Amino acid sequence: MTAIYLSIVIPVYNEEKSLKPLMDRLYPVVSGLGRTFEIIFTNDGSKDRSLDILKLYVQQYPGVRVLEFNGNFGQHMAILAAFERSSGEIVITLDADLQNPPEEIPRMIEEIEKGHDVVGTIRENRQDSLFRRVASKIVNITTNKMTGMQMSDYGCMLRAYHRNVINNINQCGESTTFIPALAQTFSSSPTEIMVGHAERTLGESKYSFYSLIRLNFDLMTGFSVVPLQLFALLGIITSFLSVGFALFLFIRRFMIGAEVEGVFTLFAILFFFIGIVIFGIGFVGEYVGRIYQEVRKRPRYVVRKTYGFEE
Ligand code: UDP
Ligand code: MG
């Protein structure tokens, strides 16, 4: 058996409309490289015909492999499962919805061959809603500040990794994660290139507002304890200020005498601080919940069946 040079990894969740146009563009690019390759699709519990289509591709296209999940475990778990079964020297992740152009793959391979171990991409003219673009900006800036990493576009999943980085990722058993950030922690010479970005024209985004928030908690709390430290700091500052305020009221009591006005102002201030406290407890809860998930040691995902790996 010849060693595989390139592994393409694609998570699929209800993408029956995108799969054919994807294969029509991806396969010529990959097979035109003249290197050995495999394309691994993870079917992340799709409820449409995606799995049937993928099984057909295993027959039709040499090098196509499919992992079938037992349910929906999320995009990042789908990618991790494929990483564990991949064997390429270079591994490239790609979304199934053609928002990332497969034509950029040769350029990414070039960067790895130059000696970089992670090639990230920055979406030029990103074609998503204004809300998502603004939210991503905020996430990118705060994540860089909090983790000390340097990445311009955390969300773009068109990425290339050297085998060394993949081996490290495969040794991590964490049950919630964010792959671009995880890879960055193992990378010694990352680089980024600009790539085009297309609007999603087939099917719809699989991320609801809520799951986007969940995902960003994975990113923030999964890679940094700065949120906790900021909270401790905020607590200390508030206590100091409140001592000052109490002193001020104490002196005022002697100068003006007893006052009862301002009860509602007091309420407003109180609600504000209670809000902060609940927020803080929630934050701590995020970390505790993650620790709980880790200690339970349940499988992160369940693969029901694989296709095309036997050959
Ligand atoms: N995806 C997945 N499992 C999920 C959600 C998404 O495998 O639970 C896949 C999806 O099929 C697509 C990729 O992850 O290939 C990115 O999803 P999507 O395009 O919906 O995300 P967006 O581009 O809106 O961030
Ligand atoms: Mg998309």
Side-chain angles (χ1 to χ4, degrees), residues 10-15 18 22 42-46 50 69 72-79 94-100 123 126 128 132 155 157 197-198 200 202 204-208 211-212 215:
I10 306 173
V12 175
Y13 181 51
N14 296 342
E15 302 281 4
S18 318
L22 172 70
T42 306
N43 178 47
D44 187 17
S46 301
S50 297
F69 269 5
N72 182 238
F73 293 89
Q75 178 185 6
H76 290 260
M77 287 304 135
I79 294 173
L94 192 73
D95 283 350
D97 58 2
L98 280 174
Q99 286 196 277
N100 316 130
R123 291 171 278 196
R126 180 160 171 204
D128 274 321
R132 290 209 39 185
M157 294 305 284
H197 189 245
R200 192 192 243 276
L202 305 156
E204 49 200 40
S205 173
K206 304 302 177 294
Y207 282 101
S208 63
S211 48
L212 278 175
L215 189 69

Side-chain angles (χ1 to χ4, degrees), residues 58-193:
V58 173
Q59 313 287 325
Q60 287 174 347
Y61 296 93
V64 171
R65 286 146 195 204
V66 173
L67 293 175
E68 182 191 343
F69 269 5
N70 213 358
N72 182 238
F73 293 89
Q75 178 185 6
H76 290 260
M77 287 304 135
I79 294 173
L80 286 181
F83 277 179
E84 283 180 5
R85 285 159 182 83
S86 72
S87 51
E89 186 70 17
I90 298 173
V91 179
I92 293 183
T93 57
L94 192 73
D95 283 350
D97 58 2
L98 280 174
Q99 286 196 277
N100 316 130
E103 290 76 18
E104 306 281 3
I105 290 174
R107 269 175 71 212
M108 305 179 68
I109 295 176
E110 258 172 49
E111 292 297 320
I112 297 265
E113 285 170 347
K114 276 187 212 160
H116 295 291
D117 52 6
V118 172
V119 182
T121 54
I122 308 167
R123 291 171 278 196
E124 214 165 3
N125 290 306
R126 180 160 171 204
Q127 302 293 318
D128 274 321
S129 64
L130 179 70
F131 165 72
R132 290 209 39 185
R133 276 178 292 149
V134 172
S136 286
K137 269 237 164 68
I138 298 170
V139 167
N140 289 335
I141 294 170
T142 46
T143 313
N144 279 339
K145 281 246 150 53
M146 282 184 350
T147 59
M149 297 182 194
Q150 273 312 319
M151 220 192 294
S152 317
D153 192 351
Y154 281 86
C156 190
M157 294 305 284
L158 177 62
R159 285 168 178 276
Y161 307 98
H162 188 265
R163 172 57 41 192
N164 293 341
V165 174
I166 297 291
N167 285 342
N168 283 318
I169 292 177
N170 286 346
Q171 280 174 28
C172 301
E174 55 198 49
S175 45
T176 55
T177 196
F178 195 90
I179 292 164
L182 185 62
Q184 203 74 359
T185 60
F186 295 125
S187 168
S188 56
S189 63
T191 185
E192 289 181 319
I193 60 173

